Amino acid sequence: MKAYHHHQRGLTLFEVSIAISVALAVLLSFAPYHIKLMERGLVEQTAQRAKMVYEAAINYRLDGRDIDDDGHADHVWPSSTTALKDAGYLPDVALQTSWGGNIDLDSAGEDLQMKFSLPEMRFVNAVAAKLPVPDITGM
């Protein structure tokens, strides 16, 4: 009896291919969930960085870092995120979005605008939903 079963040791090629197919199917079923989780993380990270820039700009303005000719502090907006970084208000990581695009500042009088681009409109809407008073403009 032992001699009869001796040739059936291990798995056949068919059994191995079925096992690999099942394992791949299980892995591929989790891929969309994993991608969505990663995208959500990028959105959260970009929103957090934009908030850091926003708060740094407000602190910069309140501190009155620019001194006028009379020796009084002018409460002006920073000229750029680089100026915020150089003044110690902003870490390097907050200069860009999670996708690598620059976060730019533009001030006109009493208004401050933060500008950055994202790869798809769904990301724009998701980040804007997490920001204070967003204004979305398309290009």
Side-chain angles (χ1 to χ4, degrees):
M1 192 82 155
K2 287 184 181 180
Y4 176 73
H5 290 289
H6 187 280
H7 71 280
Q8 293 184 355
R9 285 187 186 172
L11 300 173
T12 65
L13 183 59
F14 178 72
E15 292 169 334
V16 170
S17 64
I18 293 295
I20 290 173
S21 298
V22 169
L24 283 174
V26 169
L27 287 174
L28 290 176
S29 68
F30 287 110
Y33 171 75
H34 182 68
I35 290 170
K36 190 160 193 81
L37 189 64
M38 296 301 291
E39 289 174 347
R40 188 176 304 142
L42 291 172
V43 165
E44 291 288 336
Q45 194 175 58
T46 297
Q48 186 63 33
R49 290 176 182 182
K51 287 177 186 177
M52 289 171 68
V53 171
Y54 178 73
E55 290 172 1
I58 289 173
N59 288 332
Y60 182 96
R61 181 179 169 98
L62 291 176
D63 287 348
R65 299 286 293 188
D66 294 331
I67 307 298
D68 63 12
D69 294 334
D70 298 333
H72 296 91
D74 286 336
H75 296 286
V76 296
W77 292 112
S79 58
S80 66
T81 52
T82 305
L84 286 173
K85 182 186 82 76
D86 293 343
Y89 285 89
L90 194 64
D92 288 340
V93 71
L95 298 176
Q96 294 183 332
T97 67
S98 299
W99 287 270
N102 290 334
I103 298 176
D104 298 318
L105 294 178
D106 184 26
S107 60
E110 294 297 314
D111 295 330
L112 177 71
Q113 293 181 350
M114 183 173 21
K115 299 178 181 181
F116 54 91
S117 297
L118 299 176
E120 293 181 27
M121 195 61 188
R122 63 189 171 111
F123 298 132
V124 172
N125 291 332
V127 170
K130 298 178 181 309
L131 295 179
V133 196
D135 182 24
I136 300 171
T137 57
M139 291 189 177

